[in-house]
Amino acid sequence: MYNKKVMDHFQNPRNAGEMLKPSGVGEVGNMKCGDIMKIFIKVEDGRIEDINFLTFGCGAAIASSSMLTELVKGKTLEEALKITNTDVAENLGGLPDAKLHCSNLAADALHKAIEDYQSNNPSA
Amino acid sequence: MYNKKVMDHFQNPRNAGEMLKPSGVGEVGNMKCGDIMKIFIKVEDGRIEDINFLTFGCGAAIASSSMLTELVKGKTLEEALKITNTDVAENLGGLPDAKLHCSNLAADALHKAIEDYQSNNPSA
Amino acid sequence: MERIYLDHGATTPPHAEVVEAMLPYYRQYFGNPSSVHSFGREARRALDESREKTALALGAAPEEIIFTSGGTEANNLAIQGVIESLSHKGSHMITSAVEHHAVLDTMNKMSQKGCSLTVLPVDRCGMVDPHELKKAIRDDSVLVSIMTANNEIGTIQPVMELAAICREKGVLFHTDAVQAIGNIPLNLKEVPIDFLSLSAHKLYGPKGIGALFIRKGTKLGKLMFGGGQERKLRPGTENLPAIVGLAKAIEMATADIPGKSKAVAALRDRMIEKLLEKIDAIQLNGHPEHRLPGNVNISVKFVEGESLLLDLDLKGVAASSGSACTSGSLEASHVLMACGMDQQTAHGSLRLTLGHGNTAEEVDYTVATLKDSVERLRGMSSLYRDYRRQVEKKRNIGEEKTCTTKK
Amino acid sequence: MERIYLDHGATTPPHAEVVEAMLPYYRQYFGNPSSVHSFGREARRALDESREKTALALGAAPEEIIFTSGGTEANNLAIQGVIESLSHKGSHMITSAVEHHAVLDTMNKMSQKGCSLTVLPVDRCGMVDPHELKKAIRDDSVLVSIMTANNEIGTIQPVMELAAICREKGVLFHTDAVQAIGNIPLNLKEVPIDFLSLSAHKLYGPKGIGALFIRKGTKLGKLMFGGGQERKLRPGTENLPAIVGLAKAIEMATADIPGKSKAVAALRDRMIEKLLEKIDAIQLNGHPEHRLPGNVNISVKFVEGESLLLDLDLKGVAASSGSACTSGSLEASHVLMACGMDQQTAHGSLRLTLGHGNTAEEVDYTVATLKDSVERLRGMSSLYRDYRRQVEKKRNIGEEKTCTTKK
Ligand SMILES: Cc1ncc(COP(=O)(O)O)c(C=O)c1O
Ligand SMILES: Cc1ncc(COP(=O)(O)O)c(C=O)c1O
């Protein structure tokens, strides 16, 4: 069902966990389809210095959360905003069709986290 | 499909063949269902002294023709007229359902042969 | 590592004896049972014997058994066949909310085509209430279809009562017994069932073969048209090796059901007890007593079912889930929802179905493994963190209160 | 005595390699392809690979292949599925008079339910005339179903032309290729066929499994309702061992068709030649050239087919007949009747279908045996006696005439 890379991120998720004092938090998903993702970011000098995720969801949801955090870490906010769910899926070497639209939402959560940060820091 | 007795009568039919100067001949069957039976009898003193059959038909048709001739040989006309298709089937130890009504017509042919004899010999 | 198979509800490994029984029909006795010659007659004999064995195992007569390509076809044949055979009688049908899709979707299709349909609710344990059935039957009711035992939560329906109600009211009664046959005793001489579906691959037989029991004298239309096989109800060259396999499997499955079920039920109870003891925030789904001997269905809160399956699989344990992610659809199990479960809990459901090959050691390993998996996944789950925080808060409030009352 | 199997048109013995390929899926890899865990994934992989192999053998894409329980189901799915998928388009269907009952009876059922139906006639050789098809297509025509090759008389239809006409007129074209696949080359990349049915047990594969090719983009309704298997078109747990067997069989069957067919056709021609030479009052049925490599169909006049079969069987030769007595119905073969044959000749028809395992020695033994059987049965046949008498009479008249002219 899932390729090796997806399984690796599922088994050894990068940056899983809660962040204590995040600069921004974003959450997406709903209970009906069964995936809820929360992304925490720490922003310093316009850069995402640290990122964490908490995900309730299927293998694809966990792996894409993990992959997103790898892609984003160290990027500027501008660069990070350009990352799409499709980028995440591609970097994972692809996801099953059925998962592409329901469980591949990590970039959306990231964008919400960045919005959250920006609304908390209107000057930034 | 057929039991041993039926197969024996099919393989070694009794009294198969044409009779040269029969006292009576009876024929039944039609081409649609594919069975045509012809019974020849030789009557002497109100008794069927000899009997032969010619049959175009399936295994059940041949076996029931053969069995009929065995049952009838030596019987009086009266006795012979009492023999039914069901008797023939029973003496064969049974026939497949599908064959009971289409291929088990030998007694009918016999009865026709007796009628034929009687119409040729109105005094008898 | 030896893997542990705990998905007997999905399919079972064919018994070695079943495969052995089938092999000659792939090799020597390959004839078509409809052929007149000796190859055909050998095949016909095996077909007849298999029908006799299957009938015997169910308390039925051989001519009441129609072989189909599986449980799905048997269900479709019963339901579509009843509708097809009606000319001017009414056409109201009744089923339950927890049926397999092969019944539910067929019923829904029939209702799209003009039949009316009542879907009976179930209680929290997944049970149909016979009184509800009685109330639902109308003058124009023609068929009731309620499964013998549920494939997800293992709940066993009161089929004896349900069938008796239908018989009394003159309505045909069909039961999908795909999960039941071989697991619970059922004698068609004693229960007034008109149609019963079964599938060989759920009872240690081959895939792609099943049967529909049709009580003598019951009229039925058909799904497919063609040759005269299976009393003209199910055309197509008979799948003889599989039919032989089904007969062998059902013969074995129905021998000493009480004995075998007891052994499996003991494993089931051991597993349930340990799971409830060792893992917090989980619940048992289905009926606590009226349940299939091999069925364990739990909801692990704050964890999504598919990820739990994957994690277990990586550790060598094969299970299944009512999670939307494993169903191919985007909805959580209709069975769990019909039992009144909320979405989140349904998504975290896990089905572990035990079979004859499983051992107590496997059960213990599975519980320990499951505990690890749950902990790992809950560690990543925001829902679990929120829950723990609430629990802590409550405890703190509780402690305060205790203190308060102590004063 | 080694028996001689000459009924490959009824079913074929599975190749040893096919059975070997299937066995692991009864033993180790018993998982349900829909399961998420490793047992399920092993099964899924085999399912995917089998679909690819099957598609490759036909010149199709994997997603164009739907596995069914056999040829009958494939035919029913195509025909009922087209009608089911229509909403408001017309519903005129066209087929031929020599189709298998799985097509003809399904078409007739659809016409009872309100579709209109044209049954194209065939010529004495069993061939459909493409011009007739062209004339029969109407504005409301939705489906044409004409078989690739006939199961009784072996006649091969001009499918390329028929399909092209349908494509041009925008009508869907289905072909029952159950007898053709593996015997004659067919590449779906080159022929504009929309639906094609096949069955594994006719090509040295297992019984109970077949496939329907559905050209990409073609809408189709379904016969059964339930799970999401086979692109939701054919629910039910996949019969994986049989699917693996089908894939292996079709792979073998379609490798070097010209070479293998040539060998079988040589046996066929040897048999036909000897039969016509050695037995009087017989005729070859079907097309003299456009016929399946293994098909010999003769009418032995003045002898009934079933009794001939029985007699041959007693001597170790397994064949089949278009006689009413072997069909279970009371009518002679509809195929022979459609070719304009009279009842009597049809009842005396005999089909000998050769396969890869047959030898020239078997052919020679069969011819000699058949001659004996025919003589024995004709000896009991009043029809034959009448015929002989007529022949004698004619000869005598002829001789007289000869004498007369000599004067
Ligand atoms: C031309 C043709 N179509 C369809 C079928 C039916 O195939 P099956 O027996 O696999 O259902 C057969 C064989 O019986 C056949 O010869
Ligand atoms: C209760 C129930 N009914 C029907 C089916 C369908 O059976 P099959 O897969 O043999 O079509 C299943 C299994 O999938 C089942 O569990």
Side-chain angles (χ1 to χ4, degrees):
Chain A
M1 191 169 62
Y2 295 128
N3 67 38
K4 273 197 177 167
K5 196 148 188 189
V6 175
M7 286 309 291
D8 175 43
H9 277 267
F10 169 73
Q11 265 186 283
N12 311 297
R14 303 7 166 200
N15 308 303
E18 210 165 359
M19 190 180 283
L20 279 184
K21 290 190 192 297
S23 322
V25 180
E27 187 170 317
V28 293
N30 68 65
M31 246 325 136
K32 187 139 191 259
C33 78
D35 288 307
I36 294 182
M37 294 181 189
K38 206 166 181 174
I39 297 280
F40 307 84
I41 50 173
K42 179 145 290 163
V43 181
E44 264 168 46
D45 300 331
R47 243 175 229 288
I48 296 176
E49 288 300 322
D50 204 4
I51 180 163
N52 279 120
F53 78 89
L54 284 180
T55 289
F56 165 91
C58 64
I62 291 173
S64 53
S65 305
S66 164
M67 173 50 81
L68 176 95
T69 63
E70 266 205 340
L71 286 178
V72 163
K73 211 172 193 170
K75 290 241 164 40
T76 65
L77 293 179
E78 230 171 46
E79 288 164 343
L81 280 168
K82 285 195 192 127
I83 290 172
T84 64
N85 292 328
T86 312
D87 294 332
V88 174
E90 274 172 13
N91 274 281
L92 281 169
L95 284 171
D97 274 0
K99 303 290 180 180
L100 271 177
H101 300 288
C102 75
S103 311
N104 183 23
L105 303 168
D108 296 348
L110 168 69
H111 297 171
K112 281 202 175 179
I114 294 176
E115 270 171 45
D116 180 46
Y117 162 74
Q118 287 171 334
S119 69
N120 295 340
N121 301 274
S123 56
Chain B
M1 191 169 64
Y2 294 129
N3 66 38
K4 272 197 176 166
K5 196 150 187 188
V6 175
M7 285 309 290
D8 176 41
H9 277 267
F10 169 72
Q11 264 186 285
N12 311 297
R14 302 9 164 198
N15 308 303
E18 209 164 1
M19 190 181 281
L20 279 183
K21 290 193 192 299
S23 322
V25 178
E27 187 170 319
V28 293
N30 69 63
M31 246 327 136
K32 187 137 191 262
C33 77
D35 289 307
I36 293 181
M37 294 180 190
K38 205 166 181 173
I39 297 279
F40 307 85
I41 50 173
K42 179 145 289 160
V43 182
E44 264 167 46
D45 300 331
R47 242 175 231 287
I48 296 177
E49 289 298 323
D50 203 4
I51 180 164
N52 280 120
F53 79 88
L54 283 179
T55 290
F56 165 93
C58 65
I62 291 172
S64 52
S65 306
S66 163
M67 173 52 80
L68 176 95
T69 63
E70 267 204 340
L71 286 178
V72 163
K73 212 172 193 170
K75 291 240 165 35
T76 65
L77 291 181
E78 231 170 47
E79 289 165 340
L81 279 168
K82 285 195 193 124
I83 290 172
T84 63
N85 292 329
T86 312
D87 295 332
V88 175
E90 273 172 15
N91 276 280
L92 282 169
L95 284 170
D97 274 0
K99 303 289 179 181
L100 271 178
H101 301 288
C102 75
S103 311
N104 182 23
L105 303 168
D108 297 348
L110 168 68
H111 299 170
K112 281 204 175 175
I114 296 176
E115 271 171 45
D116 181 45
Y117 163 75
Q118 288 171 332
S119 68
N120 295 341
N121 302 272
S123 56
Chain C
M1 183 186 60
E2 268 296 325
R3 294 177 298 172
I4 300 176
Y5 188 71
L6 292 175
D7 202 10
H8 293 83
T11 195
T12 53
H15 280 312
E17 293 92 328
V18 168
V19 180
E20 283 312 308
M22 294 170 69
L23 278 178
Y25 296 90
Y26 284 122
R27 291 174 172 157
Q28 296 100 287
Y29 308 119
F30 64 85
N32 187 324
S34 300
S35 295
V36 167
H37 48 65
S38 62
F39 297 84
R41 291 197 308 274
E42 292 161 356
R44 166 69 50 187
R45 206 173 304 127
L47 180 62
D48 290 346
E49 282 171 16
S50 299
R51 202 184 306 279
E52 281 159 26
K53 274 191 199 169
T54 306
L56 192 69
L58 298 169
E63 60 274 23
E64 293 177 318
I65 303 297
I66 296 291
F67 293 114
T68 67
S69 67
T72 297
E73 189 187 332
N75 285 338
N76 273 266
L77 179 56
I79 298 167
Q80 296 194 49
V82 165
I83 293 298
E84 179 71 36
S85 74
L86 298 172
S87 39
H88 291 292
K89 277 183 277 174
S91 54
H92 171 239
M93 309 184 109
I94 300 172
T95 190
S96 88
V98 294
E99 298 299 312
H100 189 269
H101 282 293
V103 166
L104 220 43
D105 291 6
T106 309
M107 285 283 189
N108 280 324
K109 186 72 193 182
M110 295 300 104
S111 95
Q112 277 171 34
K113 288 192 166 180
C115 298
S116 55
L117 175 63
T118 300
V119 180
L120 297 177
V122 293
D123 65 16
R124 298 193 72 81
C125 302
M127 284 275 245
V128 170
D129 180 350
H131 294 287
E132 296 271 354
L133 172 61
K134 223 176 220 167
K135 282 193 294 175
I137 293 178
R138 314 189 316 209
D139 285 350
D140 62 347
S141 300
V142 293
L143 179 69
V144 171
S145 178
I146 294 172
M147 68 204 318
T148 312
N150 187 272
N151 45 308
E152 291 188 32
I153 54 176
T155 301
I156 298 170
Q157 301 293 349
V159 164
M160 182 69 203
E161 267 178 272
L162 300 170
I165 291 168
C166 292
R167 178 58 55 95
E168 197 198 307
K169 300 250 186 181
V171 181
L172 294 170
F173 181 73
H174 167 252
T175 191
D176 174 348
V178 165
Q179 292 285 339
I181 301 297
N183 286 319
I184 56 175
L186 187 73
N187 187 330
L188 288 166
K189 280 202 196 74
E190 290 158 12
V191 194
I193 290 167
D194 299 296
F195 307 105
L196 176 142
S197 305
L198 63 88
S199 181
H201 75 98
K202 307 285 189 183
L203 41 87
Y204 306 91
K207 293 180 182 62
I209 194 75
L212 181 66
F213 159 83
I214 305 173
R215 194 170 292 278
K216 222 172 287 184
T218 319
K219 258 186 71 181
L220 198 67
K222 47 192 178 176
L223 289 177
M224 303 182 216
F225 306 88
Q229 292 92 345
E230 297 300 296
R231 288 176 41 229
K232 304 200 175 147
L233 268 169
R234 206 291 178 182
T237 303
E238 299 89 343
N239 187 351
L240 189 60
I243 288 170
V244 168
L246 162 56
K248 183 74 187 169
I250 201 167
E251 185 179 59
M252 293 176 73
T254 52
D256 187 29
I257 290 183
K260 280 182 300 190
S261 289
K262 217 168 139 184
V264 175
L267 291 179
R268 171 196 70 189
D269 295 341
R270 179 189 187 102
M271 184 180 274
I272 291 173
E273 198 178 304
K274 296 208 171 201
L275 284 171
L276 294 176
E277 181 194 310
K278 302 234 160 122
I279 305 178
D280 77 327
I282 72 170
Q283 70 179 51
L284 180 69
N285 303 319
H287 200 284
E289 284 147 38
H290 300 295
R291 82 185 295 135
L292 288 173
N295 181 286
V296 177
N297 190 308
I298 50 168
S299 280
V300 181
K301 296 201 181 171
F302 319 116
V303 172
E304 195 282 331
E306 191 218 71
S307 58
L308 198 50
L309 288 191
L310 281 180
D311 215 60
L312 285 175
D313 183 53
L314 289 167
K315 293 163 184 159
V317 177
S320 98
S321 163
S323 136
C325 287
T326 62
S327 71
S329 81
L330 291 177
E331 309 271 317
S333 150
H334 69 285
V335 173
L336 299 177
M337 301 305 282
C339 296
M341 195 176 287
D342 62 285
Q343 295 267 6
Q344 186 192 313
T345 312
H347 281 302
S349 82
L350 189 71
R351 182 184 73 171
L352 302 138
T353 36
L354 295 144
H356 301 325
N358 295 126
T359 63
E361 290 68 45
E362 289 180 339
V363 166
D364 295 349
Y365 173 84
T366 299
V367 172
T369 303
L370 183 54
K371 190 174 154 65
D372 290 348
S373 289
V374 168
E375 279 169 9
R376 177 172 104 79
L377 292 166
R378 280 181 174 169
M380 282 190 267
S381 162
S382 52
L383 299 174
Y384 186 67
R385 305 225 165 193
D386 295 347
Y387 161 76
R388 289 307 309 174
R389 252 177 231 125
Q390 268 185 292
V391 171
E392 295 298 325
K393 214 187 276 172
K394 270 195 203 138
R395 187 178 302 154
N396 292 342
I397 295 168
E399 275 165 13
E400 265 173 38
K401 266 194 190 149
T402 315
C403 293
T404 318
T405 33
K406 261 189 180 166
K407 278 184 194 164
Chain D
M1 183 186 59
E2 269 296 326
R3 295 177 298 172
I4 300 176
Y5 188 72
L6 292 175
D7 202 9
H8 292 84
T11 195
T12 53
H15 281 310
E17 293 91 328
V18 168
V19 180
E20 284 312 309
M22 294 170 70
L23 279 177
Y25 296 90
Y26 284 122
R27 291 173 171 157
Q28 296 101 287
Y29 307 119
F30 65 85
N32 186 324
S34 299
S35 296
V36 167
H37 47 65
S38 62
F39 297 84
R41 290 196 309 272
E42 291 161 357
R44 166 70 50 187
R45 204 173 306 128
L47 180 62
D48 291 345
E49 282 172 15
S50 299
R51 201 184 306 280
E52 281 160 25
K53 273 189 199 168
T54 306
L56 192 68
L58 298 169
E63 61 275 22
E64 293 176 319
I65 303 297
I66 296 291
F67 293 114
T68 68
S69 68
T72 297
E73 188 187 334
N75 285 338
N76 273 266
L77 179 56
I79 297 167
Q80 295 194 50
V82 165
I83 293 298
E84 179 70 36
S85 74
L86 297 173
S87 40
H88 291 292
K89 275 183 280 173
S91 53
H92 171 239
M93 307 184 109
I94 301 173
T95 190
S96 88
V98 294
E99 298 299 312
H100 189 269
H101 281 293
V103 166
L104 220 42
D105 292 6
T106 308
M107 285 284 189
N108 280 324
K109 185 72 191 179
M110 296 299 105
S111 94
Q112 276 170 35
K113 289 193 166 178
C115 298
S116 54
L117 176 63
T118 300
V119 180
L120 296 178
V122 294
D123 65 17
R124 298 193 73 81
C125 302
M127 283 274 243
V128 170
D129 181 348
H131 293 287
E132 296 272 354
L133 172 61
K134 223 175 220 168
K135 281 194 293 177
I137 293 178
R138 314 189 316 211
D139 284 350
D140 62 347
S141 300
V142 292
L143 178 69
V144 171
S145 178
I146 294 173
M147 69 204 316
T148 312
N150 187 272
N151 45 308
E152 293 189 30
I153 53 176
T155 301
I156 298 169
Q157 301 293 349
V159 165
M160 182 68 203
E161 266 178 274
L162 300 170
I165 290 169
C166 292
R167 178 58 56 95
E168 196 197 307
K169 299 250 186 181
V171 182
L172 293 170
F173 182 74
H174 167 251
T175 191
D176 174 348
V178 165
Q179 292 284 340
I181 301 296
N183 286 318
I184 57 174
L186 187 73
N187 188 331
L188 288 166
K189 281 204 196 73
E190 289 158 14
V191 193
I193 290 168
D194 298 297
F195 307 104
L196 177 143
S197 304
L198 63 90
S199 181
H201 75 96
K202 307 284 188 183
L203 43 85
Y204 304 90
K207 294 181 181 60
I209 194 77
L212 181 65
F213 159 84
I214 305 172
R215 193 168 294 278
K216 221 172 289 183
T218 319
K219 259 186 69 182
L220 198 67
K222 49 191 177 176
L223 289 177
M224 302 182 216
F225 306 89
Q229 292 91 346
E230 298 298 299
R231 289 177 38 230
K232 304 199 173 145
L233 269 169
R234 206 289 176 181
T237 303
E238 298 89 343
N239 187 352
L240 188 61
I243 288 170
V244 168
L246 163 54
K248 182 74 188 168
I250 201 168
E251 184 179 60
M252 292 176 71
T254 52
D256 186 29
I257 290 184
K260 280 184 300 192
S261 290
K262 217 168 139 184
V264 175
L267 291 179
R268 172 196 71 189
D269 295 340
R270 179 189 186 103
M271 184 179 274
I272 292 173
E273 197 178 306
K274 295 208 171 199
L275 285 172
L276 294 177
E277 181 194 310
K278 301 232 160 121
I279 305 176
D280 78 325
I282 70 170
Q283 71 181 50
L284 180 69
N285 303 320
H287 200 284
E289 284 148 38
H290 299 293
R291 82 184 295 135
L292 287 173
N295 182 286
V296 177
N297 190 308
I298 51 169
S299 280
V300 181
K301 297 202 180 172
F302 319 115
V303 172
E304 196 280 332
E306 192 218 70
S307 57
L308 198 50
L309 287 190
L310 281 181
D311 216 60
L312 284 176
D313 183 53
L314 288 166
K315 294 165 182 156
V317 177
S320 99
S321 164
S323 135
C325 288
T326 60
S327 71
S329 81
L330 291 176
E331 308 271 318
S333 151
H334 70 284
V335 173
L336 299 178
M337 302 306 283
C339 297
M341 196 176 285
D342 62 286
Q343 297 265 9
Q344 186 193 315
T345 313
H347 282 302
S349 83
L350 189 71
R351 182 184 73 170
L352 303 138
T353 35
L354 295 144
H356 300 324
N358 295 126
T359 63
E361 290 67 45
E362 290 180 340
V363 166
D364 295 350
Y365 174 85
T366 299
V367 173
T369 303
L370 184 56
K371 189 175 155 66
D372 290 348
S373 290
V374 168
E375 278 168 8
R376 177 172 104 79
L377 292 167
R378 280 181 174 170
M380 281 190 267
S381 163
S382 53
L383 300 175
Y384 186 68
R385 303 226 166 193
D386 296 346
Y387 163 75
R388 288 307 310 173
R389 252 176 232 126
Q390 266 183 292
V391 171
E392 295 298 326
K393 211 186 276 171
K394 270 198 204 135
R395 188 177 304 153
N396 294 342
I397 295 167
E399 275 166 11
E400 266 173 38
K401 268 200 188 138
T402 315
C403 292
T404 318
T405 33
K406 261 189 177 165
K407 278 184 191 165

